[in-house]
Amino acid sequence: MDGKIIQANSNMCKTFGYSSAELHQLMFEQLVHPNERHLSSSKLAAIAAGTSTSYQAERILQCKDQTLLWCDISVFVQHDQHQKPDYIFIQCMDITKRKQAEKKLNRLAFHDPLTSLANRTLLLKFLDQAIHRYQRNHDHKFAVLFLDLDGFKLVNDSLGHLEGDNLLVAIAQRLQQETRGSDTLARFGGDEFCILLNDISGQDQAIELAKRINKALNLPFIIANEVINTTTSIGIVIASDKLAKAQDYLRDADSAMYHAKHQGRGRYAIFDASMHMQAKHQLRLRNELSRAFEQQQFVPFYQPIICIDTGQICGFESLVRWQHPERGLLSPLQFLSIVEEIHRIAEIDYYMLDLAIAQVVRWRKQFGLDELTISCNCSSEMLSSYKVIERINNLLTEYQLPAHCLNLELTESVLINDPETTLSILEQLQQLGVNIHLDDFGTGYSSLSYLHRFPIHNIKIDRSFVSRILDSNKDHAIVESIVLLANRLGITITAEGVESHQQYLILKQIGVTKTQGYYHGKPVDAQATFLLLEQASATMELD
Ligand code: C2E
Ligand code: CA
Ligand code: CA
């Protein structure tokens, strides 16, 4: 009854590594791990005082060699024949294996197996705690940072999943170096990470961390002997009374992250309410888009392209519009990025190509314009599959358009994405006889090496150069040298976004081949374009 061991069976001796003589020298408490001894003593004291006669508990016990064992112990007071407490009977069951399995399950339940970081469940749990702490006392500010790697899919696809995993582990390590022990760093699967920043003084601290992370991840990684450059977009939400649930914080951090991503790679953004509206709006558009496809709500607009030698219309560029049943006519800038995200942009490209070719063939006949061309925009989704060659060939045959009257406009980003396949596809398109036009030249990577490497027939100089050409000597010089280089390579030049007569005259003087812009005409629907052609042919007859 005083806690001294008076008898122990051989299993007890064997398990704890004592002889029975040694055990008989010990108090039971001495078998209990020091951290848990106070638990045992208070229970045993209650038994000695007669206020309790039994209990059951899980305790960590200690062997002679200091090994720890998790035990399930059952304790009963045994009475003598006069019903007086006689001695205490303690039964110990070694449950270490079960405890270890539980711990492992716990790790699995709350941690990401690849990086060993916390997972979404654990982060949500800690975030809930942080929210409650903040609600009780606003001094306990916190922030949530939502991270999404830029272009991880490309790395993963080109390196393979194993190396992609290695990159994620390396990124997790760098993130760990930037965060404090009191923060929670979690991986949400894929290339998404989340950080809960506890007890901050204000928003500056969150921004500072975001900057540090952007900088740390900007340094190249070496994976499988390849140098890999990644960046990450970060969305930040600061503790606020307006948000009540962990899910609200994650939603807003996610919106802010998207906002950062749209601004370019390796940026951060702090959430504000307009982003939420924007995110809602995007979601609605996304749902409405599927109906737009079903009901063919996309329509082609046409913008004239002028040949500088003759001053006459030599072709049109087709530009998609979404005739939205409630919102009216939407410009591609309002919806194409979403169409791209849902991987249906090639569908639009083909749809537009079909309508535009059919249309230009009609105009060629109606106005006797044998050299009238049509320029169509091509996404990288369209140009990443060999199917494009056969489909374009079929359209040319079906509508009887000479191949050299079809121009395919593509941007540099198309060339970067899988250059080998793209090169081989473009070469086959060139063999069909269609022309390849490099769009938005000067805005992207502007690597002049593309001009040698890919079969490019025409460069469209972006309107940002044209808009500055009157005021900036530098832009004037750039356009001039692009024209010189292109001339030498046998590439023609179209200047986009010509809005004034002065711009037109300078471009003519520099020697561009064609111009396009509001000065000549805004993009309009097929009917208005017909009228424009009618007008043009009337003045030509007068000439
Ligand atoms: P883009 O191919 O560079 O098309 C030229 C854009 O500049 C058009 O905008 C046109 O309306 C605008 N623009 C033309 N002249 C002027 C001017 O003088 N001043 C100004 N400020 N702007 C001018 P839009 O129609 O909104 O098209 C935007 C972009 O959407 C296009 O840029 C193109 O990248 C994309 N796009 C349009 N249609 C399609 C399509 O069918 N397929 C694909 N993949 N992309 C398309
Ligand atoms: Ca274009
Ligand atoms: Ca363009």
Side-chain angles (χ1 to χ4, degrees):
M1 291 302 296
D2 60 2
K4 195 158 165 268
I5 297 174
I6 45 181
Q7 203 185 331
N9 69 358
S10 60
N11 248 348
M12 187 81 193
C13 301
K14 210 163 69 198
T15 307
F16 286 85
Y18 291 103
S19 68
S20 68
E22 283 169 327
L23 265 185
H24 292 168
Q25 301 294 313
L26 295 180
M27 306 290 285
F28 175 72
E29 269 174 30
Q30 289 173 277
L31 290 179
V32 179
H33 187 273
N35 290 351
E36 302 204 329
R37 241 168 239 172
H38 65 285
L39 299 172
S40 267
S41 13
S42 66
K43 289 278 189 195
L44 288 175
I47 285 182
T51 52
S52 138
T53 56
S54 72
Y55 75 91
Q56 204 228 350
E58 286 182 358
R59 290 257 189 280
I60 301 173
L61 303 190
Q62 212 168 18
C63 303
K64 188 179 174 186
D65 65 1
Q66 308 289 309
T67 318
L68 302 179
L69 294 181
W70 268 103
C71 289
D72 184 339
I73 62 170
S74 305
V75 179
F76 311 95
V77 176
Q78 302 293 307
H79 298 92
D80 62 13
Q81 63 232 95
H82 309 296
Q83 300 308 315
K84 274 182 59 186
D86 191 5
Y87 61 92
I88 302 170
F89 180 80
I90 302 181
Q91 200 174 28
C92 298
M93 184 159 59
D94 181 357
I95 55 165
T96 308
K97 284 221 169 70
R98 192 191 87 202
K99 278 286 175 187
Q100 280 168 346
E102 271 173 13
K103 215 166 141 187
K104 233 183 239 164
L105 280 175
N106 250 320
R107 266 208 84 68
L108 282 179
F110 292 112
H111 291 83
D112 164 44
L114 177 65
T115 60
S116 301
L117 298 180
N119 64 9
R120 179 189 286 267
T121 314
L122 188 57
L123 187 112
L124 282 173
K125 202 166 121 181
F126 288 152
L127 183 52
D128 270 329
Q129 293 169 359
I131 293 170
H132 284 130
R133 261 203 317 274
Y134 175 75
Q135 284 169 343
R136 279 196 302 272
N137 178 352
H138 277 27
D139 289 340
H140 292 297
K141 287 195 187 59
F142 65 90
V144 177
L145 278 72
F146 195 89
L147 284 69
D148 187 286
L149 303 181
D150 304 317
F152 177 71
K153 194 181 168 302
L154 211 70
V155 175
N156 213 27
D157 289 351
S158 56
L159 284 181
H161 288 262
L162 199 64
E163 303 304 346
D165 281 356
N166 288 339
L167 178 64
L168 288 171
V169 171
I171 286 171
Q173 282 165 354
R174 276 197 202 168
L175 290 175
Q176 236 153 358
Q177 281 165 9
E178 298 303 328
T179 45
R180 306 166 299 177
S182 55
D183 305 328
T184 306
L185 171 59
R187 175 171 173 245
F188 278 12
D191 56 349
E192 291 177 347
F193 294 85
C194 190
I195 299 171
L196 170 63
L197 201 56
N198 273 314
D199 287 318
I200 55 170
S201 52
Q203 149 173 328
D204 292 353
Q205 225 171 315
I207 292 177
E208 197 215 323
L209 175 63
K211 283 184 178 162
R212 272 208 322 270
I213 289 174
N214 277 146
K215 206 163 143 197
L217 295 189
N218 238 332
L219 300 172
F221 290 88
I222 313 269
I223 302 284
N225 290 324
E226 296 251 18
V227 180
I228 297 174
N229 290 296
T230 60
T231 51
T232 180
S233 299
I234 306 177
I236 304 174
V237 185
I238 311 289
S240 148
D241 279 330
K242 293 200 193 95
L243 301 174
K245 292 198 299 272
Q247 290 295 357
D248 299 342
Y249 278 91
L250 291 188
R251 177 201 62 213
D252 289 353
D254 190 54
S255 301
M257 184 279 294
Y258 262 100
H259 195 82
K261 214 177 253 297
H262 276 290
Q263 313 231 290
R265 300 162 67 98
R267 308 283 183 98
Y268 68 86
I270 300 175
F271 179 79
D272 73 60
S274 69
M275 290 178 190
H276 187 49
M277 297 291 294
Q278 219 174 323
K280 261 188 173 161
H281 177 70
Q282 301 263 312
L283 193 68
R284 200 170 328 125
L285 272 188
R286 205 181 267 250
N287 294 332
E288 289 166 351
L289 265 174
S290 55
R291 201 162 349 118
F293 276 101
E294 275 165 33
Q295 304 186 350
Q296 308 202 325
Q297 292 169 357
F298 300 112
V299 289
F301 267 41
Y302 299 93
Q303 186 177 32
I305 300 173
I306 307 299
C307 178
I308 230 157
D309 278 343
T310 61
Q312 301 294 330
I313 295 173
C314 56
F316 289 95
E317 175 175 2
S318 70
L319 294 155
V320 68
R321 298 291 179 264
W322 176 6
Q323 185 64 64
H324 193 285
E326 289 107 41
R327 267 189 274 259
L329 204 62
L330 298 184
S331 105
L333 303 179
Q334 290 169 284
F335 64 89
L336 274 194
S337 61
I338 308 177
V339 178
E340 231 168 338
E341 269 170 38
I342 61 174
H343 304 293
R344 295 187 75 170
I345 187 141
E347 239 174 286
I348 290 198
D349 290 342
Y350 282 120
Y351 182 69
M352 292 285 292
L353 200 61
D354 191 308
L355 292 179
I357 292 180
Q359 182 62 74
V360 82
V361 165
R362 253 174 277 141
W363 287 330
R364 287 160 60 92
K365 282 195 192 120
Q366 283 164 340
F367 296 98
L369 298 167
D370 294 339
E371 290 309 311
L372 192 70
T373 63
I374 184 74
S375 300
C376 294
N377 291 289
C378 302
S379 61
S380 70
E381 191 182 305
M382 182 194 213
L383 288 173
S384 62
S385 155
Y386 283 92
K387 271 190 303 210
V388 69
I389 302 152
E390 197 193 335
R391 288 190 67 168
I392 288 186
N393 198 19
N394 288 347
L395 285 173
L396 293 173
T397 317
E398 182 185 342
Y399 294 109
Q400 292 291 301
L401 179 73
H404 76 274
C405 294
L406 175 63
N407 306 321
L408 301 177
E409 294 195 1
L410 48 96
T411 59
E412 283 166 289
S413 57
V414 174
L415 306 180
I416 290 171
N417 194 0
D418 194 359
E420 274 82 46
T421 310
T422 311
L423 178 59
S424 125
I425 288 174
L426 291 184
E427 278 170 350
Q428 293 183 49
L429 286 170
Q430 183 192 28
Q431 276 161 22
L432 284 186
V434 304
N435 304 300
I436 311 294
H437 290 196
L438 194 55
D439 206 351
D440 301 345
F441 191 78
T443 55
Y445 310 84
S446 300
S447 166
L448 294 171
S449 66
Y450 297 134
L451 304 183
H452 293 279
R453 200 159 159 218
F454 293 94
I456 288 159
H457 305 99
N458 179 73
I459 293 173
K460 296 191 82 173
I461 297 183
D462 190 67
R463 71 163 186 270
S464 53
F465 287 100
V466 174
S467 68
R468 293 186 302 247
I469 205 162
L470 292 174
D471 327 306
S472 153
N473 289 333
K474 203 170 119 202
D475 287 299
H476 188 280
I478 291 175
V479 175
E480 223 164 18
S481 45
I482 296 175
V483 171
L484 276 176
L485 175 73
N487 278 342
R488 236 187 339 219
L489 295 169
I491 296 173
T492 57
I493 301 268
T494 307
E496 289 189 281
V498 181
E499 293 184 352
S500 72
H501 188 60
Q502 289 101 306
Q503 286 173 344
Y504 177 72
L505 287 181
I506 285 210
L507 290 162
K508 192 169 178 168
Q509 192 192 4
I510 292 176
V512 309
T513 331
K514 294 175 225 168
T515 49
Q516 176 182 358
Y518 293 172
Y519 173 59
H520 305 295
K522 289 193 173 181
V524 287
D525 66 12
Q527 211 178 350
T529 306
F530 177 86
L531 296 177
L532 182 75
L533 278 170
E534 222 173 25
Q535 213 177 20
S537 77
T539 49
M540 270 201 5
E541 273 159 28
L542 280 180
D543 287 350

